Amino acid sequence: MNAVVAESVSAEHHALVAPHGGVLRELYVPAPDAEILKRNSAGLPQWTLNQRQLCDLELLLNGGFSPLQGFLGRADYDRVLAEMRLANGTLWPIPITLDVDEAFAAKLPDNAQISLNDTQGTPLAVLTVEDVYFPDRIAEARSVFGTTDRTHPGVAELLDRTGPVYLGGKLQGIQPPPHYDFTALRHSPRQLRDWFRQHGWHRIVAFQTRNPMHRAHRELTLRAAEQVGAKLLIQPSVGRTKPGDVDHYTRVRCYHALLEHYPRDHATLSLLPLAMRMGGPREALWHAIIRKNYGASHFIVGRDHAGPGKDAEGKPFYDPYAAQELLSEHEDELGIQIVPFPAMVYAANRDVYLPQTEVGSQDEVRDISGTELRRRLHQGEAIPEWFTFPEVVKILRERHPANARQGFALFFTGLSGSGKSTLAQAVLARLLETGSRPVTMLDGDEVRRHLSKGLGFSREDRNANITRIGYVASEVVRHGGIAICAPIAPYAEARDEARQLVQSHGHFVEIHIATPLEVCEARDRKGLYAAARAGKIKGFTGIDDPYETPASPELRIDTSEVSVNDAAERVLAWLHSQELA
């Protein structure tokens, strides 16, 4: 590493005055220095960024996360959790951290520099590590999300898929992460602010979304813009959103179609590479800061902004208007004006959309939920024009053709001898007996012999084995097939990664075979448990290596209590109840 370049560049991070107050910090180094930094990065420790980290890095480098100059160190992290502020007192509600595994962190010398790379190995930035710390992720979940319930996708990500060590320090940007889709709609804060100036837009109200937009959304955004006399910026999140959301390719096509229904020169579309946390009020505050950095003067905050829905007991995680209240408390400090807006509903008797607060007792309110919309698309049923525009329906039908069955993966997990492979074979036979869909079996032993040949039984190798299974299953599911997986899969983090891979294309059904250890040992035809008890086999799951019991599987079955046929019938009944089989 050329230390002189590193020092001179870090002092010169581009600081631009934002149009509505505050300083925008771009963290890219000048082009000649970037070439030197790129060459020298090859000799540094290498860290491959996951999807969330890539999104965070992009917004750190382009100034979307101003005033941050890198990933948070311990002092900033602690105060963000406790007070929604950085150590210097600046308002900031969400911890932006670089999580790594202990093995990687242990190899780093003091004041190390590391190369942050995309999945192709391309260096994007160099991080000068100023802080290495072990966070209390339970405490982080309580502070940021207000819950430790893993039904919350942000909590599940934090507790089950986030590394145990955080690295804090300043960044030197080499180049942005590459994007090959919708390139004309991907703007940095600087580019978007320049576009506003060129088009004479001075008052801009931004709208955040992670879903397709329909007539209610158009009505809401039009009214909000008219209320404050502003132009409209539709800026959907196209990084990671909530599992099960409509993919951003389909959504962006829907947004394009919807733009034709706004007055000319009234609205524009720009994509935000944000990895959402679904953090409710705190996230709404974060969204407002980001939109200020992108040049907006106003920000629409709707009902249950950035909320993930309901908890394990069926109760909403956040009060529907808690985000509006939190932003109102900080509006003067934020530097962007908040436009709170109630949900818009359709009054059939008047044939108009109204704010929910204006609905009278005589009004006939109609709505179509996301679940109902998906059902109508699946069944090929009509979607009324009062709900959305024909052009949007056409795009959604292309993505979700009527009567097309989405693929799914059945992921059986349990101790050796629990009966998961036997049950998986029984379910396979029943599916082939009653249907014509392609079914692929990924049995643990077979995978070990072929797909994962050469891997051992360390935690790292076992996780790699499950990731490979998850990847193959996701490809089966992507093409509309059924994948049946039956590994031991002892660690929650690997099972969750497999879930993430599959859910990007279809349904993931985790089935915990909860047969007690003593029953599994009694069935031990291979003598593996006896060998493990005698110390002849080390690291055997259930004996001297843990099995992390699934917290909330779709099904839990104890094969010591039911026959194989009855257990298979239970699985099939569940699939039918979910309209998967």
Side-chain angles (χ1 to χ4, degrees), residues 10 13 25 27 60 65-71 169-172:
S10 66
H13 288 320
R25 293 186 180 276
L27 306 183
L60 283 166
F65 283 172
S66 289
L68 303 190
Q69 298 184 56
F71 292 101
K170 292 183 178 178
L171 288 164
Q172 297 166 306

Side-chain angles (χ1 to χ4, degrees), residues 76-300:
D76 283 323
Y77 170 81
D78 285 344
R79 193 165 180 194
V80 166
L81 263 56
E83 303 176 47
M84 298 194 300
R85 295 186 181 277
L86 302 175
N88 65 8
T90 302
L91 188 66
W92 189 268
I94 299 291
I96 307 301
T97 56
L98 180 66
D99 58 297
V100 300
D101 57 62
E102 291 186 63
F104 182 82
K107 297 175 183 177
L108 298 177
D110 292 341
N111 301 313
Q113 291 186 312
I114 63 175
S115 178
L116 303 181
N117 307 332
D118 66 14
T119 55
Q120 303 302 309
T122 303
L124 305 177
V126 168
L127 174 70
T128 300
V129 180
E130 300 170 348
D131 211 351
V132 180
Y133 57 105
F134 289 79
D136 181 340
R137 286 176 290 170
I138 294 291
E140 181 178 336
R142 290 197 182 102
S143 294
V144 176
F145 302 111
T147 181
T148 58
D149 183 349
R150 282 177 167 82
T151 307
H152 191 301
V155 173
E157 168 78 14
L158 174 62
L159 299 185
D160 298 330
R161 295 185 290 278
T162 298
V165 184
Y166 287 178
L167 305 182
K170 292 183 178 178
L171 288 164
Q172 297 166 306
I174 298 172
Q175 59 187 318
H179 296 287
Y180 306 105
D181 61 318
F182 306 116
T183 54
L185 296 174
R186 292 182 179 272
H187 310 101
S188 69
R190 178 200 287 264
Q191 290 168 335
L192 197 55
R193 293 195 328 272
D194 286 346
W195 189 93
F196 292 149
R197 280 194 290 267
Q198 292 164 11
H199 289 77
W201 286 26
H202 304 294
R203 293 172 67 85
I204 301 104
V205 60
F207 180 67
Q208 149 79 28
T209 183
R210 51 170 247 272
N211 293 308
M213 291 174 65
H214 303 294
R215 286 184 182 268
H217 304 99
R218 173 187 173 274
E219 192 68 24
L220 184 155
T221 52
L222 270 176
R223 289 187 179 218
E226 290 171 0
Q227 178 178 307
V228 297
K231 303 288 190 178
L232 174 65
L233 168 64
I234 299 172
Q235 196 178 36
S237 294
V238 295
R240 192 198 56 194
T241 59
K242 182 180 176 182
D245 281 351
V246 175
D247 64 274
H248 80 267
Y249 303 101
T250 302
R251 288 193 287 118
V252 174
R253 292 174 61 206
C254 290
Y255 303 140
H256 262 303
L258 189 74
L259 275 181
E260 299 300 317
H261 294 276
Y262 285 93
R264 184 177 296 277
D265 300 324
H266 184 90
T268 193
L269 173 65
S270 183
L271 309 185
L272 182 69
L274 179 70
M276 293 183 65
R277 273 62 166 183
M278 306 305 298
R282 276 196 183 225
E283 177 136 350
L285 192 63
W286 188 42
H287 289 175
I289 294 170
I290 294 167
R291 274 26 184 250
K292 179 186 71 173
N293 289 330
Y294 271 88
S297 58
H298 296 71
F299 181 56
I300 299 170

Side-chain angles (χ1 to χ4, degrees), residues 314-463:
K315 300 177 181 178
F317 279 104
Y318 307 113
D319 181 86
Y321 296 108
Q324 295 181 0
E325 293 170 3
L326 181 65
L327 269 72
S328 295
E329 293 174 16
H330 296 281
E331 187 169 11
D332 292 341
E333 186 177 5
L334 274 171
I336 185 171
Q337 294 184 43
I338 305 307
V339 185
F341 229 87
M344 301 295 294
V345 296
Y346 179 68
N349 54 307
R350 301 197 226 177
D351 190 26
V352 295
Y353 273 92
L354 297 170
Q356 197 169 42
T357 53
E358 297 178 13
V359 173
S361 58
Q362 75 284 1
D363 288 318
E364 300 173 19
V365 175
R366 294 182 185 173
D367 189 22
I368 293 179
S369 67
T371 301
E372 173 63 11
L373 176 60
R374 288 189 292 272
R375 189 194 68 78
R376 290 184 182 222
L377 290 169
H378 178 71
Q379 298 294 335
E381 294 181 14
I383 297 171
E385 286 200 28
W386 61 258
F387 175 74
T388 195
F389 297 97
E391 305 95 312
V392 173
V393 174
K394 180 176 182 294
I395 293 166
L396 293 174
R397 288 201 189 282
E398 289 172 353
R399 177 63 180 86
H400 302 281
N403 301 315
R405 286 188 170 180
Q406 198 174 32
F408 63 87
L410 299 178
F411 193 94
F412 295 86
T413 172
L415 296 170
S416 177
S418 61
K420 58 188 178 300
S421 294
T422 302
L423 178 54
Q425 290 288 348
V427 171
L428 169 68
R430 291 291 304 278
L431 287 171
L432 293 175
E433 175 189 359
T434 58
S436 58
R437 301 180 69 182
V439 186
T440 300
M441 171 67 79
L442 297 170
D443 181 72
D445 291 339
E446 290 296 316
V447 168
R448 279 281 182 181
R449 276 194 289 272
H450 303 292
L451 184 64
S452 295
K453 187 176 182 179
L455 288 181
F457 291 89
S458 66
R459 187 181 186 104
E460 182 180 13
D461 281 0
R462 285 176 171 177
N463 284 348

